[in-house]
Amino acid sequence: SRLEFDFEQGVGTTSGQGEDPVVMMDISKDGGRTWTLLQPWRQLGKIGEYFKRQRFLRLGQARVFVFRITITDPVKRVMIQAHADISVGM
């Protein structure tokens, strides 16, 4: 039901593209054959913003979830950890 990422925060550039960097998540519920952008962009944090949260909620259900993270801004990309709330169905 929830997926949350911890990226290195406050990595924005001083101006131009990357000033307010964002991360996007695509979801595949068929093992990576088709992709759906179900979640809006999440901010990684401008310079000095160290407490941005990247939470993706209401992910639905599937037998095989695959998540694809995209960061297009020219900034440092460091994923520290990921947390998921998972329920096993019938």
Side-chain angles (χ1 to χ4, degrees):
S1 62
R2 178 179 69 92
L3 186 58
E4 185 172 332
F5 296 99
D6 291 332
F7 288 96
E8 183 173 345
Q9 303 291 308
V11 295
T13 61
T14 55
S15 64
Q17 183 182 3
E19 186 176 354
D20 192 9
V22 293
V23 59
M24 179 190 67
M25 183 175 73
D26 294 314
I27 300 171
S28 174
K29 294 183 178 184
D30 58 7
R33 290 186 174 90
T34 60
W35 294 91
T36 305
L37 173 61
L38 294 178
Q39 301 289 323
W41 295 89
R42 301 289 191 270
Q43 294 180 330
L44 288 174
K46 297 177 183 179
I47 292 177
E49 290 184 335
Y50 299 112
F51 297 103
K52 291 289 183 178
R53 180 184 276 181
Q54 296 82 36
R55 288 172 84 178
F56 298 93
L57 306 172
R58 300 180 189 178
L59 300 178
Q61 59 185 19
R63 288 182 179 253
V64 182
F65 266 114
V66 180
F67 304 101
R68 179 170 58 189
I69 301 298
T70 305
I71 302 171
T72 59
D73 294 299
V75 296
K76 185 176 178 184
R77 299 167 181 95
V78 177
M79 182 187 295
I80 299 166
Q81 61 184 345
H83 305 274
D85 286 339
I86 300 170
S87 299
V88 178
M90 299 179 80

